[in-house]
Amino acid sequence: MDASTRGRSDRLSTHREVVVVGAGLVGLAVAWRLAARGLSVTLVERETPGAGASSVAAGMLAPVSELDYAETAALAGRLAALERWPAFARELAEASGVEPALVYGGSVIVAVDRDDAAELRRLHDLHRSVGVASQWLDRRALRAHVPELGPRALAALSVAQESAVDPELVVAALATAARRAGAELRERAAATELRTVAGRVRGVMLADGTEIAADLVVVAAGARTRQLLPDSAVARSVRPVKGQLITVAADGRRAQAPRIVVRTPRVYLVPRGDGRVVIGATQEERGFDSTVTAGALRTLLEEAWEVWPGVDEAQFLAAKSGHRPATPDNEPIVGFDPDLDGLFWATGHWRNGVLWTALVGDLVRDLVLGRGPAIDPSPYDPARFVAAATASRAAVVANPAPAFERS
């Protein structure tokens, strides 16, 4: 049994009642796609739509410049999501009347010293080894390409196919599209418990005691995933990673905003197209701490100034913190639970939740309806974490700690 059919009962393709837990970008996209296929969808959100990681996402659509040496196995899915975005944006605008405001023009990864340049050379080699395109720009070519940058910008890798989007507009568009397709959206309705009978999902319990019946529950709860199912090996594989970011505005007179996404190995700058620029983001293992700290903001501004001195003259608008849903391998969890019939996971999208939004709704819809998905879902199979937890327990049993270590 492969990843596209694991955990699917014979009646799954006729599921009619669905609860989606979490109204971030992913949960909204899933609700829209399932409701548009005629399923009865209730979307429950503990706060308001997009209030979690989606509200503090920068909006980069950057699978190439975000690529890490250990993350090449699932690159095809991220590239497919990027390719899907233009058509997805058009379809979403038509369904909702809200333009997602895609910012085209590519992105650049900039070096401001020799160490950065050496790292970019290694990254360029990685791109070539996996067959993705990036172009080396020397100082002169970089200044011609992005004239807003400062004199410390030595060289860069340019990735022409990448872009960015405003996540706030995408949240608004998806919420409207989901409602128009027939989904019911319940705000400030925290799901606290999964209801099951004889190994099958029957719905969810809310914090106020309300029970919502369903024969399929899609968990799209992001960093809050393990709070719903604390005993699940899949849910325990998702942890919150804090990130802080800043939004500034360049008025075009004292400071010109970059027209495309600019990043260094330590910071990124994402233009919104209206003079606003998002600067981010820290990466902190601090649980659900949400404090916006002076030290983090100082670091972000200093790193931004290294590549864009115009930040000194930009207007400060806001500083926020949020929590990314991280997994041990930095890949999302999308698929049926291997043990519990009627439970589907769509979580753990780490730094690429905005990117995945264009594709994950389609992927969930196709797997739920038993159709062939557009991409290979096996790298995202929830069963990989069940297997890892089982192997870990077996290792402990086979090699127990000495008595003095257990005392």
Side-chain angles (χ1 to χ4, degrees), residues 359-387:
L359 188 61
V360 73
D362 294 348
L363 181 59
V364 174
R365 176 200 62 201
D366 292 344
L367 293 177
V368 165
L369 297 179
R371 300 173 5 174
I375 64 169
D376 175 14
S378 60
Y380 322 109
D381 189 350
R384 71 193 193 272
F385 294 120
V386 176

PDB file of all heavy atoms in Angstrom, residues 359-387:
ATOM      1  N   LEU A 359      -0.455  24.499  -3.707  1.00  0.00           N
ATOM      2  CA  LEU A 359      -0.492  23.099  -4.121  1.00  0.00           C
ATOM      3  C   LEU A 359      -1.128  22.181  -3.097  1.00  0.00           C
ATOM      4  O   LEU A 359      -1.744  21.174  -3.457  1.00  0.00           O
ATOM      5  CB  LEU A 359       0.936  22.619  -4.424  1.00  0.00           C
ATOM      6  CG  LEU A 359       1.103  21.240  -5.060  1.00  0.00           C
ATOM      7  CD1 LEU A 359       0.412  21.195  -6.426  1.00  0.00           C
ATOM      8  CD2 LEU A 359       2.583  20.906  -5.223  1.00  0.00           C
ATOM      9  N   VAL A 360      -1.008  22.523  -1.803  1.00  0.00           N
ATOM     10  CA  VAL A 360      -1.403  21.558  -0.783  1.00  0.00           C
ATOM     11  C   VAL A 360      -2.901  21.312  -0.773  1.00  0.00           C
ATOM     12  O   VAL A 360      -3.350  20.189  -0.508  1.00  0.00           O
ATOM     13  CB  VAL A 360      -0.890  21.999   0.609  1.00  0.00           C
ATOM     14  CG1 VAL A 360      -1.679  23.184   1.136  1.00  0.00           C
ATOM     15  CG2 VAL A 360      -0.919  20.847   1.596  1.00  0.00           C
ATOM     16  N   GLY A 361      -3.712  22.318  -1.072  1.00  0.00           N
ATOM     17  CA  GLY A 361      -5.148  22.087  -1.138  1.00  0.00           C
ATOM     18  C   GLY A 361      -5.500  21.071  -2.208  1.00  0.00           C
ATOM     19  O   GLY A 361      -6.351  20.192  -2.002  1.00  0.00           O
ATOM     20  N   ASP A 362      -4.850  21.189  -3.361  1.00  0.00           N
ATOM     21  CA  ASP A 362      -5.068  20.219  -4.434  1.00  0.00           C
ATOM     22  C   ASP A 362      -4.597  18.829  -4.023  1.00  0.00           C
ATOM     23  O   ASP A 362      -5.251  17.817  -4.324  1.00  0.00           O
ATOM     24  CB  ASP A 362      -4.325  20.648  -5.696  1.00  0.00           C
ATOM     25  CG  ASP A 362      -4.867  21.927  -6.309  1.00  0.00           C
ATOM     26  OD1 ASP A 362      -5.960  22.360  -5.897  1.00  0.00           O
ATOM     27  OD2 ASP A 362      -4.194  22.495  -7.179  1.00  0.00           O
ATOM     28  N   LEU A 363      -3.448  18.764  -3.348  1.00  0.00           N
ATOM     29  CA  LEU A 363      -2.902  17.481  -2.932  1.00  0.00           C
ATOM     30  C   LEU A 363      -3.840  16.785  -1.948  1.00  0.00           C
ATOM     31  O   LEU A 363      -4.127  15.586  -2.083  1.00  0.00           O
ATOM     32  CB  LEU A 363      -1.522  17.687  -2.315  1.00  0.00           C
ATOM     33  CG  LEU A 363      -0.773  16.439  -1.831  1.00  0.00           C
ATOM     34  CD1 LEU A 363      -0.571  15.464  -2.966  1.00  0.00           C
ATOM     35  CD2 LEU A 363       0.566  16.837  -1.220  1.00  0.00           C
ATOM     36  N   VAL A 364      -4.327  17.536  -0.962  1.00  0.00           N
ATOM     37  CA  VAL A 364      -5.257  16.949   0.007  1.00  0.00           C
ATOM     38  C   VAL A 364      -6.535  16.506  -0.691  1.00  0.00           C
ATOM     39  O   VAL A 364      -7.030  15.391  -0.464  1.00  0.00           O
ATOM     40  CB  VAL A 364      -5.567  17.959   1.131  1.00  0.00           C
ATOM     41  CG1 VAL A 364      -6.651  17.404   2.060  1.00  0.00           C
ATOM     42  CG2 VAL A 364      -4.308  18.274   1.925  1.00  0.00           C
ATOM     43  N   ARG A 365      -7.095  17.359  -1.526  1.00  0.00           N
ATOM     44  CA  ARG A 365      -8.320  17.004  -2.252  1.00  0.00           C
ATOM     45  C   ARG A 365      -8.143  15.710  -3.034  1.00  0.00           C
ATOM     46  O   ARG A 365      -8.989  14.802  -2.984  1.00  0.00           O
ATOM     47  CB  ARG A 365      -8.685  18.139  -3.197  1.00  0.00           C
ATOM     48  CG  ARG A 365      -9.895  17.871  -4.089  1.00  0.00           C
ATOM     49  CD  ARG A 365      -9.876  18.806  -5.289  1.00  0.00           C
ATOM     50  NE  ARG A 365      -8.683  18.591  -6.115  1.00  0.00           N
ATOM     51  CZ  ARG A 365      -8.191  19.500  -6.963  1.00  0.00           C
ATOM     52  NH1 ARG A 365      -8.764  20.682  -7.082  1.00  0.00           N
ATOM     53  NH2 ARG A 365      -7.119  19.223  -7.684  1.00  0.00           N
ATOM     54  N   ASP A 366      -7.045  15.591  -3.760  1.00  0.00           N
ATOM     55  CA  ASP A 366      -6.847  14.420  -4.601  1.00  0.00           C
ATOM     56  C   ASP A 366      -6.677  13.155  -3.773  1.00  0.00           C
ATOM     57  O   ASP A 366      -7.211  12.092  -4.122  1.00  0.00           O
ATOM     58  CB  ASP A 366      -5.630  14.629  -5.509  1.00  0.00           C
ATOM     59  CG  ASP A 366      -5.863  15.715  -6.554  1.00  0.00           C
ATOM     60  OD1 ASP A 366      -7.038  16.079  -6.777  1.00  0.00           O
ATOM     61  OD2 ASP A 366      -4.873  16.206  -7.122  1.00  0.00           O
ATOM     62  N   LEU A 367      -5.937  13.243  -2.670  1.00  0.00           N
ATOM     63  CA  LEU A 367      -5.750  12.061  -1.831  1.00  0.00           C
ATOM     64  C   LEU A 367      -7.056  11.666  -1.143  1.00  0.00           C
ATOM     65  O   LEU A 367      -7.378  10.479  -1.031  1.00  0.00           O
ATOM     66  CB  LEU A 367      -4.658  12.316  -0.795  1.00  0.00           C
ATOM     67  CG  LEU A 367      -3.238  12.493  -1.348  1.00  0.00           C
ATOM     68  CD1 LEU A 367      -2.263  12.810  -0.225  1.00  0.00           C
ATOM     69  CD2 LEU A 367      -2.790  11.242  -2.099  1.00  0.00           C
ATOM     70  N   VAL A 368      -7.818  12.643  -0.692  1.00  0.00           N
ATOM     71  CA  VAL A 368      -9.091  12.353  -0.031  1.00  0.00           C
ATOM     72  C   VAL A 368     -10.080  11.713  -1.003  1.00  0.00           C
ATOM     73  O   VAL A 368     -10.795  10.775  -0.651  1.00  0.00           O
ATOM     74  CB  VAL A 368      -9.680  13.642   0.575  1.00  0.00           C
ATOM     75  CG1 VAL A 368     -11.155  13.462   0.949  1.00  0.00           C
ATOM     76  CG2 VAL A 368      -8.875  14.048   1.804  1.00  0.00           C
ATOM     77  N   LEU A 369     -10.106  12.204  -2.225  1.00  0.00           N
ATOM     78  CA  LEU A 369     -11.050  11.689  -3.216  1.00  0.00           C
ATOM     79  C   LEU A 369     -10.526  10.471  -3.963  1.00  0.00           C
ATOM     80  O   LEU A 369     -11.196   9.944  -4.851  1.00  0.00           O
ATOM     81  CB  LEU A 369     -11.408  12.793  -4.218  1.00  0.00           C
ATOM     82  CG  LEU A 369     -12.134  14.010  -3.626  1.00  0.00           C
ATOM     83  CD1 LEU A 369     -12.406  15.039  -4.704  1.00  0.00           C
ATOM     84  CD2 LEU A 369     -13.426  13.589  -2.946  1.00  0.00           C
ATOM     85  N   GLY A 370      -9.325  10.023  -3.610  1.00  0.00           N
ATOM     86  CA  GLY A 370      -8.782   8.832  -4.241  1.00  0.00           C
ATOM     87  C   GLY A 370      -8.297   9.037  -5.647  1.00  0.00           C
ATOM     88  O   GLY A 370      -8.206   8.087  -6.428  1.00  0.00           O
ATOM     89  N   ARG A 371      -7.957  10.293  -5.991  1.00  0.00           N
ATOM     90  CA  ARG A 371      -7.460  10.597  -7.332  1.00  0.00           C
ATOM     91  C   ARG A 371      -5.944  10.628  -7.321  1.00  0.00           C
ATOM     92  O   ARG A 371      -5.307  10.811  -6.287  1.00  0.00           O
ATOM     93  CB  ARG A 371      -8.003  11.952  -7.796  1.00  0.00           C
ATOM     94  CG  ARG A 371      -9.500  11.968  -7.839  1.00  0.00           C
ATOM     95  CD  ARG A 371     -10.154  13.288  -8.134  1.00  0.00           C
ATOM     96  NE  ARG A 371      -9.317  14.408  -8.467  1.00  0.00           N
ATOM     97  CZ  ARG A 371      -9.797  15.588  -8.855  1.00  0.00           C
ATOM     98  NH1 ARG A 371     -11.097  15.762  -8.962  1.00  0.00           N
ATOM     99  NH2 ARG A 371      -8.995  16.589  -9.125  1.00  0.00           N
ATOM    100  N   GLY A 372      -5.348  10.457  -8.484  1.00  0.00           N
ATOM    101  CA  GLY A 372      -3.901  10.533  -8.592  1.00  0.00           C
ATOM    102  C   GLY A 372      -3.414  11.939  -8.341  1.00  0.00           C
ATOM    103  O   GLY A 372      -3.827  12.870  -9.044  1.00  0.00           O
ATOM    104  N   PRO A 373      -2.544  12.154  -7.349  1.00  0.00           N
ATOM    105  CA  PRO A 373      -2.073  13.509  -7.045  1.00  0.00           C
ATOM    106  C   PRO A 373      -1.091  14.011  -8.083  1.00  0.00           C
ATOM    107  O   PRO A 373      -0.448  13.234  -8.796  1.00  0.00           O
ATOM    108  CB  PRO A 373      -1.398  13.347  -5.680  1.00  0.00           C
ATOM    109  CG  PRO A 373      -0.948  11.920  -5.649  1.00  0.00           C
ATOM    110  CD  PRO A 373      -1.985  11.154  -6.416  1.00  0.00           C
ATOM    111  N   ALA A 374      -0.960  15.331  -8.148  1.00  0.00           N
ATOM    112  CA  ALA A 374      -0.085  15.955  -9.146  1.00  0.00           C
ATOM    113  C   ALA A 374       1.389  15.726  -8.851  1.00  0.00           C
ATOM    114  O   ALA A 374       2.218  15.813  -9.756  1.00  0.00           O
ATOM    115  CB  ALA A 374      -0.370  17.459  -9.214  1.00  0.00           C
ATOM    116  N   ILE A 375       1.728  15.472  -7.577  1.00  0.00           N
ATOM    117  CA  ILE A 375       3.119  15.207  -7.198  1.00  0.00           C
ATOM    118  C   ILE A 375       3.185  13.924  -6.392  1.00  0.00           C
ATOM    119  O   ILE A 375       2.171  13.442  -5.878  1.00  0.00           O
ATOM    120  CB  ILE A 375       3.722  16.363  -6.378  1.00  0.00           C
ATOM    121  CG1 ILE A 375       2.972  16.520  -5.047  1.00  0.00           C
ATOM    122  CG2 ILE A 375       3.722  17.659  -7.171  1.00  0.00           C
ATOM    123  CD1 ILE A 375       3.647  17.446  -4.069  1.00  0.00           C
ATOM    124  N   ASP A 376       4.375  13.383  -6.273  1.00  0.00           N
ATOM    125  CA  ASP A 376       4.595  12.209  -5.445  1.00  0.00           C
ATOM    126  C   ASP A 376       4.450  12.605  -3.978  1.00  0.00           C
ATOM    127  O   ASP A 376       5.231  13.425  -3.473  1.00  0.00           O
ATOM    128  CB  ASP A 376       6.000  11.665  -5.715  1.00  0.00           C
ATOM    129  CG  ASP A 376       6.364  10.502  -4.797  1.00  0.00           C
ATOM    130  OD1 ASP A 376       5.456   9.947  -4.132  1.00  0.00           O
ATOM    131  OD2 ASP A 376       7.561  10.159  -4.737  1.00  0.00           O
ATOM    132  N   PRO A 377       3.474  12.044  -3.243  1.00  0.00           N
ATOM    133  CA  PRO A 377       3.278  12.452  -1.857  1.00  0.00           C
ATOM    134  C   PRO A 377       4.164  11.718  -0.857  1.00  0.00           C
ATOM    135  O   PRO A 377       4.146  12.054   0.328  1.00  0.00           O
ATOM    136  CB  PRO A 377       1.804  12.116  -1.611  1.00  0.00           C
ATOM    137  CG  PRO A 377       1.559  10.920  -2.475  1.00  0.00           C
ATOM    138  CD  PRO A 377       2.422  11.118  -3.708  1.00  0.00           C
ATOM    139  N   SER A 378       4.933  10.755  -1.312  1.00  0.00           N
ATOM    140  CA  SER A 378       5.662   9.898  -0.365  1.00  0.00           C
ATOM    141  C   SER A 378       6.655  10.650   0.534  1.00  0.00           C
ATOM    142  O   SER A 378       6.816  10.263   1.699  1.00  0.00           O
ATOM    143  CB  SER A 378       6.366   8.758  -1.103  1.00  0.00           C
ATOM    144  OG  SER A 378       7.295   9.237  -2.050  1.00  0.00           O
ATOM    145  N   PRO A 379       7.334  11.724   0.076  1.00  0.00           N
ATOM    146  CA  PRO A 379       8.248  12.410   1.003  1.00  0.00           C
ATOM    147  C   PRO A 379       7.545  13.073   2.180  1.00  0.00           C
ATOM    148  O   PRO A 379       8.198  13.433   3.155  1.00  0.00           O
ATOM    149  CB  PRO A 379       8.919  13.468   0.113  1.00  0.00           C
ATOM    150  CG  PRO A 379       8.782  12.963  -1.274  1.00  0.00           C
ATOM    151  CD  PRO A 379       7.453  12.279  -1.289  1.00  0.00           C
ATOM    152  N   TYR A 380       6.227  13.210   2.110  1.00  0.00           N
ATOM    153  CA  TYR A 380       5.475  13.936   3.127  1.00  0.00           C
ATOM    154  C   TYR A 380       4.579  13.013   3.955  1.00  0.00           C
ATOM    155  O   TYR A 380       3.788  13.466   4.769  1.00  0.00           O
ATOM    156  CB  TYR A 380       4.640  15.033   2.454  1.00  0.00           C
ATOM    157  CG  TYR A 380       5.376  15.683   1.319  1.00  0.00           C
ATOM    158  CD1 TYR A 380       5.007  15.483  -0.008  1.00  0.00           C
ATOM    159  CD2 TYR A 380       6.520  16.448   1.565  1.00  0.00           C
ATOM    160  CE1 TYR A 380       5.726  16.044  -1.052  1.00  0.00           C
ATOM    161  CE2 TYR A 380       7.250  17.010   0.522  1.00  0.00           C
ATOM    162  CZ  TYR A 380       6.850  16.796  -0.777  1.00  0.00           C
ATOM    163  OH  TYR A 380       7.576  17.344  -1.822  1.00  0.00           O
ATOM    164  N   ASP A 381       4.724  11.708   3.748  1.00  0.00           N
ATOM    165  CA  ASP A 381       3.881  10.701   4.377  1.00  0.00           C
ATOM    166  C   ASP A 381       4.006  10.760   5.906  1.00  0.00           C
ATOM    167  O   ASP A 381       5.107  10.668   6.453  1.00  0.00           O
ATOM    168  CB  ASP A 381       4.313   9.318   3.873  1.00  0.00           C
ATOM    169  CG  ASP A 381       3.367   8.213   4.285  1.00  0.00           C
ATOM    170  OD1 ASP A 381       2.472   8.464   5.115  1.00  0.00           O
ATOM    171  OD2 ASP A 381       3.532   7.084   3.786  1.00  0.00           O
ATOM    172  N   PRO A 382       2.900  10.901   6.640  1.00  0.00           N
ATOM    173  CA  PRO A 382       2.973  10.913   8.107  1.00  0.00           C
ATOM    174  C   PRO A 382       3.602   9.661   8.695  1.00  0.00           C
ATOM    175  O   PRO A 382       4.167   9.707   9.801  1.00  0.00           O
ATOM    176  CB  PRO A 382       1.507  11.031   8.525  1.00  0.00           C
ATOM    177  CG  PRO A 382       0.797  11.593   7.342  1.00  0.00           C
ATOM    178  CD  PRO A 382       1.533  11.085   6.141  1.00  0.00           C
ATOM    179  N   ALA A 383       3.522   8.547   7.989  1.00  0.00           N
ATOM    180  CA  ALA A 383       4.028   7.290   8.526  1.00  0.00           C
ATOM    181  C   ALA A 383       5.522   7.322   8.808  1.00  0.00           C
ATOM    182  O   ALA A 383       6.017   6.519   9.605  1.00  0.00           O
ATOM    183  CB  ALA A 383       3.718   6.143   7.553  1.00  0.00           C
ATOM    184  N   ARG A 384       6.238   8.263   8.206  1.00  0.00           N
ATOM    185  CA  ARG A 384       7.681   8.298   8.434  1.00  0.00           C
ATOM    186  C   ARG A 384       7.998   8.616   9.885  1.00  0.00           C
ATOM    187  O   ARG A 384       9.015   8.144  10.416  1.00  0.00           O
ATOM    188  CB  ARG A 384       8.361   9.291   7.498  1.00  0.00           C
ATOM    189  CG  ARG A 384       8.106  10.773   7.767  1.00  0.00           C
ATOM    190  CD  ARG A 384       8.578  11.608   6.582  1.00  0.00           C
ATOM    191  NE  ARG A 384       8.676  13.045   6.808  1.00  0.00           N
ATOM    192  CZ  ARG A 384       7.680  13.901   6.637  1.00  0.00           C
ATOM    193  NH1 ARG A 384       6.478  13.463   6.251  1.00  0.00           N
ATOM    194  NH2 ARG A 384       7.869  15.198   6.851  1.00  0.00           N
ATOM    195  N   PHE A 385       7.160   9.368  10.540  1.00  0.00           N
ATOM    196  CA  PHE A 385       7.413   9.711  11.936  1.00  0.00           C
ATOM    197  C   PHE A 385       6.915   8.630  12.885  1.00  0.00           C
ATOM    198  O   PHE A 385       7.447   8.472  13.979  1.00  0.00           O
ATOM    199  CB  PHE A 385       6.803  11.063  12.265  1.00  0.00           C
ATOM    200  CG  PHE A 385       7.452  12.187  11.520  1.00  0.00           C
ATOM    201  CD1 PHE A 385       6.733  12.987  10.654  1.00  0.00           C
ATOM    202  CD2 PHE A 385       8.820  12.422  11.648  1.00  0.00           C
ATOM    203  CE1 PHE A 385       7.338  14.011   9.949  1.00  0.00           C
ATOM    204  CE2 PHE A 385       9.434  13.444  10.936  1.00  0.00           C
ATOM    205  CZ  PHE A 385       8.694  14.241  10.092  1.00  0.00           C
ATOM    206  N   VAL A 386       5.898   7.886  12.485  1.00  0.00           N
ATOM    207  CA  VAL A 386       5.477   6.730  13.269  1.00  0.00           C
ATOM    208  C   VAL A 386       6.580   5.682  13.267  1.00  0.00           C
ATOM    209  O   VAL A 386       6.938   5.110  14.299  1.00  0.00           O
ATOM    210  CB  VAL A 386       4.170   6.149  12.718  1.00  0.00           C
ATOM    211  CG1 VAL A 386       3.786   4.879  13.476  1.00  0.00           C
ATOM    212  CG2 VAL A 386       3.052   7.177  12.798  1.00  0.00           C
ATOM    213  N   ALA A 387       7.148   5.440  12.086  1.00  0.00           N
ATOM    214  CA  ALA A 387       8.246   4.471  11.985  1.00  0.00           C
ATOM    215  C   ALA A 387       9.442   4.904  12.805  1.00  0.00           C
ATOM    216  O   ALA A 387      10.084   4.091  13.484  1.00  0.00           O
ATOM    217  CB  ALA A 387       8.635   4.283  10.521  1.00  0.00           C
TER     218      ALA A 387
END
